[in-house]
Amino acid sequence: MPAADAYLEDVRLQFRKLKKLAEDALAQVKDEELNATLDAESNSLAVIMRHIAGNLRSRFTDFLTTDGEKPDRNRDGEFEIDGNPGRATAFADWESGWTRLFETLNALTPADLLKDVHV
């Protein structure tokens, strides 16, 4: 396997490992704990999941053609959750970000590794 192909496969593998590591940790958390905070200055796990998902969607949408931060992203809004969204809601948002990342990674070719990416 050429080095560029091996590199792209390893990048995909490492992101899958990171996602699984996070999800294995989140599986140990009770539903009501997803929205709990340690204090007024901390974020809940649901907020962190929402922020990571927003970042993945923004950074990996039109990855090779536009700046990483998209104009339709409401970054500050990612840190504001009204009420107590359930596990299904938190994971649906989480999954949408990771789906975007993997769609983009799966579409990359060795030639893309030589392109400039603006973040």
Side-chain angles (χ1 to χ4, degrees):
M1 173 184 291
D5 290 318
Y7 175 76
L8 286 171
E9 185 53 37
D10 188 54
V11 168
R12 293 178 194 111
L13 175 65
Q14 296 308 317
F15 273 112
R16 284 192 299 270
K17 286 180 179 179
L18 289 170
K19 182 177 186 273
K20 182 177 180 343
L21 182 66
E23 289 174 351
D24 286 350
L26 290 164
Q28 298 176 51
V29 176
K30 297 175 185 162
D31 290 356
E32 60 275 7
E33 294 171 333
L34 280 176
N35 293 293
T37 59
L38 297 176
D39 59 42
E41 298 299 316
S42 64
N43 293 308
S44 68
L45 292 170
V47 166
I48 294 168
M49 291 171 69
R50 186 175 182 184
H51 176 57
I52 289 172
N55 196 54
L56 291 173
R57 281 190 302 271
S58 185
R59 302 293 175 194
F60 290 97
T61 297
D62 302 325
F63 179 67
L64 295 172
T65 57
T66 62
D67 184 88
E69 190 69 33
K70 304 304 182 281
D72 64 340
R73 182 179 184 197
N74 180 7
R75 185 183 183 282
D76 291 343
E78 294 167 7
F79 293 93
E80 301 168 2
I81 293 183
D82 292 330
N84 188 2
R87 182 174 290 270
T89 300
F91 273 92
D93 193 35
W94 168 262
E95 196 60 43
S96 73
W98 284 98
T99 296
R100 177 60 48 93
L101 166 71
F102 289 122
E103 287 172 349
T104 298
L105 291 179
N106 290 335
L108 293 177
T109 67
D112 293 328
L113 297 177
L114 300 176
K115 295 178 180 177
D116 290 334
V117 176
H118 300 280
V119 292

